[in-house]
Amino acid sequence: MQIKADRKLVDRLIQGDTRAFDAFFHSYFPRLYRFALGRVGGDGDTAEEAVQSALCKALDKLGTYRAEAPLFTWLCTFCRHEIYALTKRSGREQVALREDDPEIRSALESLFVAADYDPELSVSRSEVRRWVQTTLDHLPSLYSNLLEWKYLQGLSVKEIAARIDRGPKATESLLTRSRQAFRDGFSAFMQGGADGKASWVRVGTDL
Amino acid sequence: MNQDTDRRRDDDLVAELMQLAGPRAQPPTDRTERVKANVKAHWQRHVIVERRPLQNKFLWLTGLAAVLVITIGVLRPWSGSDVDVALAPVVSVAGAVFIHRDSGAVMARGGDRLRPGDRVETGDDGLMIFTVASGHELRLDHGTHLTLLDYDRIALDRGAVYVDSHRFDSGESVSVVTPFGIARDIGTRFEVRLAGQTLEVAVRDGEVQLSDPNDATKGRWTASAGEGIRRLAMTQQTETFAVSSWDERWGWTRTLVQFELEGALAIEYLQWLSHEQGWTLSFEDERARSLAQSVAHGDTTGYSALETLEMVLPTVELGYRLDGGRLMVSSVH
């Protein structure tokens, strides 16, 4: 579904549709910027340079996008190369993040269904914060927006429905799918251990 | 029952995680605008413009084949290289605008393509917008006469031209040649107006260099955002004046441009409007920024900028205040 929408967006970009460019930019720039920022030690100038360069190169190669992976994943590949080149040129170290682990990356990209909840697993609050935000960035924009509106801004389903111009029932269903996708994505971070099972993390005051 | 319990647990866990993490940090507005302008210009140049020559060449060949098959010996008016003419497309026209070529004059229409040597005249009610390969957009005011010398160089005989580089800092620029000075942009938006013996160059953002047309070493002036340069041919005097990015002077440049609101995000509309009005867009808080991601509806054609703000923002629970050139958007609750 998301990949189909991505394919359509790419086609419109190739055709020169300005509205598509605006949608593309506003959907992907903030996510790629956050993606880059974490990997260049919080240096905004380097992150900006990396993302701008990555977006330009990706636009040049739009014709090669085969819609086998979500567009965000495809764009992240360009961004990774740019970050690598920039950090190498400046002689700095690239920050290694847990989500760069190939297994987690793969799980995030495909958002595999998670396994059981493991109350014993605990991680630091800042790690969880970053993982939650990274998971949101990997979700379709609509899903992450819905989750932020509902859980951070406390909007009712009716209010969200009005905002996205859908009926309450369709909105509720979208919220369910958003939660599921979030849960699956977040679980990717929790994967580990000998059996490689995914699990939910317990968060709260005990962290 | 179990399903309900699972759903509630899921809901609680998501809520807990989301609240722990808080809202995602947004990139600073200046970075966003800068990168957008640069990436958009790149897209326009490399994805759109470079595709067009092939498409047009193909169309031209198809047309040629048809002509051969039906053996009608009609020459295409304005025959020439379609690869070249694809690079300065006319985006929009209103009123009487003529394009003069060796083969004669024709009324300009959206979709026409200009090429070096073309002379354009806008009538008293005429306005036109065209773009060149570098991504610069050129808007012509009423009563303007100019010649496209090359894709990055125009000669202005009278009237006014407004150049918007979309802040693409590739190093490419557009020069406007007049009898009293040559204006060249350095990634900016500016207007060159020639009225009788007076030349005015007003800079909306970025920087413009003005040089003497006969001897660049004799005179060279630079104007930055918020400044203008006036040259009086009779006295050879040069003076500067102040002009804000939201000054009424820029009003005519907005006449032909419009935003298709229906189905767009409110943020897209706000960014477009701020760019066209010369305003700096700010959000009072994260809630306002988030609300601006809502889908907007309606048609703003024919309304002033302030009228459209009054119409559009309440529909997405936003309000605004305008302080000089700063548009501050806030949530209404």
Side-chain angles (χ1 to χ4, degrees), chain A residues 183, chain B residues 1-13:
Chain A
R183 180 197 152 111
Chain B
M1 186 68 181
N2 278 345
Q3 244 182 356
D4 279 351
T5 313
D6 286 349
R7 193 177 304 153
R8 267 203 302 277
R9 196 190 69 174
D10 225 28
D11 203 42
D12 290 345
L13 277 167

Short mmCIF file of all heavy atoms in Angstrom, two decimals, chain A residues 183, chain B residues 1-13:
data_model
loop_
_atom_site.label_atom_id
_atom_site.label_comp_id
_atom_site.label_asym_id
_atom_site.label_seq_id
_atom_site.Cartn_x
_atom_site.Cartn_y
_atom_site.Cartn_z
N ARG A 183 4.02 -0.64 16.67
CA ARG A 183 4.41 -1.73 17.55
C ARG A 183 5.42 -2.64 16.85
O ARG A 183 6.45 -3.00 17.42
CB ARG A 183 3.15 -2.52 17.93
CG ARG A 183 3.39 -3.69 18.84
CD ARG A 183 2.21 -4.65 18.82
NE ARG A 183 2.70 -5.98 19.14
CZ ARG A 183 2.42 -6.63 20.26
NH1 ARG A 183 1.63 -6.09 21.14
NH2 ARG A 183 2.92 -7.81 20.49
N MET B 1 -13.57 -10.37 24.32
CA MET B 1 -13.11 -9.79 25.58
C MET B 1 -11.59 -9.68 25.61
O MET B 1 -11.01 -8.64 25.89
CB MET B 1 -13.62 -10.66 26.74
CG MET B 1 -13.35 -10.08 28.12
SD MET B 1 -14.32 -8.57 28.44
CE MET B 1 -13.76 -8.15 30.05
N ASN B 2 -10.92 -10.85 25.26
CA ASN B 2 -9.47 -10.84 25.22
C ASN B 2 -8.93 -9.87 24.21
O ASN B 2 -7.91 -9.23 24.42
CB ASN B 2 -8.95 -12.26 24.91
CG ASN B 2 -8.93 -13.10 26.16
OD1 ASN B 2 -9.03 -12.56 27.25
ND2 ASN B 2 -8.84 -14.41 25.99
N GLN B 3 -9.68 -9.80 23.10
CA GLN B 3 -9.27 -8.88 22.02
C GLN B 3 -9.30 -7.44 22.52
O GLN B 3 -8.39 -6.66 22.24
CB GLN B 3 -10.23 -9.03 20.84
CG GLN B 3 -9.54 -9.56 19.62
CD GLN B 3 -10.47 -9.67 18.44
OE1 GLN B 3 -11.67 -9.42 18.56
NE2 GLN B 3 -9.93 -10.03 17.31
N ASP B 4 -10.37 -7.15 23.27
CA ASP B 4 -10.52 -5.80 23.82
C ASP B 4 -9.38 -5.49 24.79
O ASP B 4 -8.81 -4.39 24.78
CB ASP B 4 -11.85 -5.65 24.57
CG ASP B 4 -12.98 -5.40 23.59
OD1 ASP B 4 -12.66 -5.18 22.39
OD2 ASP B 4 -14.15 -5.44 24.01
N THR B 5 -9.05 -6.48 25.61
CA THR B 5 -7.96 -6.29 26.58
C THR B 5 -6.64 -6.05 25.85
O THR B 5 -5.87 -5.16 26.21
CB THR B 5 -7.82 -7.54 27.48
OG1 THR B 5 -9.12 -7.89 27.91
CG2 THR B 5 -6.92 -7.28 28.65
N ASP B 6 -6.41 -6.87 24.81
CA ASP B 6 -5.18 -6.71 24.03
C ASP B 6 -5.11 -5.31 23.42
O ASP B 6 -4.06 -4.67 23.42
CB ASP B 6 -5.13 -7.75 22.90
CG ASP B 6 -4.80 -9.13 23.46
OD1 ASP B 6 -4.43 -9.19 24.65
OD2 ASP B 6 -4.94 -10.11 22.71
N ARG B 7 -6.24 -4.88 22.88
CA ARG B 7 -6.26 -3.57 22.21
C ARG B 7 -5.96 -2.45 23.21
O ARG B 7 -5.22 -1.54 22.94
CB ARG B 7 -7.63 -3.35 21.55
CG ARG B 7 -7.61 -2.17 20.59
CD ARG B 7 -8.93 -1.98 19.88
NE ARG B 7 -9.34 -3.19 19.17
CZ ARG B 7 -10.61 -3.51 18.90
NH1 ARG B 7 -11.59 -2.74 19.33
NH2 ARG B 7 -10.91 -4.59 18.24
N ARG B 8 -6.57 -2.61 24.40
CA ARG B 8 -6.36 -1.57 25.42
C ARG B 8 -4.89 -1.54 25.86
O ARG B 8 -4.30 -0.49 26.04
CB ARG B 8 -7.27 -1.81 26.63
CG ARG B 8 -8.61 -1.04 26.52
CD ARG B 8 -9.20 -0.85 27.90
NE ARG B 8 -9.43 -2.11 28.57
CZ ARG B 8 -10.52 -2.88 28.37
NH1 ARG B 8 -11.46 -2.48 27.54
NH2 ARG B 8 -10.67 -4.01 29.01
N ARG B 9 -4.34 -2.76 26.00
CA ARG B 9 -2.94 -2.83 26.42
C ARG B 9 -2.03 -2.20 25.35
O ARG B 9 -1.12 -1.45 25.64
CB ARG B 9 -2.54 -4.29 26.64
CG ARG B 9 -1.26 -4.44 27.43
CD ARG B 9 -0.72 -5.84 27.45
NE ARG B 9 -0.23 -6.24 26.13
CZ ARG B 9 0.39 -7.39 25.89
NH1 ARG B 9 0.55 -8.27 26.85
NH2 ARG B 9 0.83 -7.70 24.69
N ASP B 10 -2.36 -2.53 24.13
CA ASP B 10 -1.63 -1.96 23.00
C ASP B 10 -1.70 -0.45 23.02
O ASP B 10 -0.69 0.26 22.87
CB ASP B 10 -2.31 -2.46 21.71
CG ASP B 10 -1.30 -2.94 20.70
OD1 ASP B 10 -0.22 -3.38 21.13
OD2 ASP B 10 -1.60 -2.86 19.51
N ASP B 11 -2.91 0.03 23.23
CA ASP B 11 -3.18 1.47 23.25
C ASP B 11 -2.37 2.13 24.36
O ASP B 11 -1.72 3.15 24.16
CB ASP B 11 -4.69 1.68 23.48
CG ASP B 11 -5.14 3.02 22.97
OD1 ASP B 11 -4.70 3.42 21.88
OD2 ASP B 11 -5.93 3.67 23.68
N ASP B 12 -2.41 1.51 25.54
CA ASP B 12 -1.70 2.08 26.69
C ASP B 12 -0.19 2.11 26.45
O ASP B 12 0.49 3.08 26.77
CB ASP B 12 -1.96 1.25 27.96
CG ASP B 12 -3.41 1.44 28.43
OD1 ASP B 12 -4.05 2.39 27.95
OD2 ASP B 12 -3.86 0.62 29.25
N LEU B 13 0.31 1.01 25.88
CA LEU B 13 1.76 0.94 25.65
C LEU B 13 2.21 1.98 24.63
O LEU B 13 3.22 2.65 24.81
CB LEU B 13 2.14 -0.46 25.15
CG LEU B 13 2.33 -1.49 26.25
CD1 LEU B 13 2.37 -2.89 25.64
CD2 LEU B 13 3.61 -1.22 27.03
#
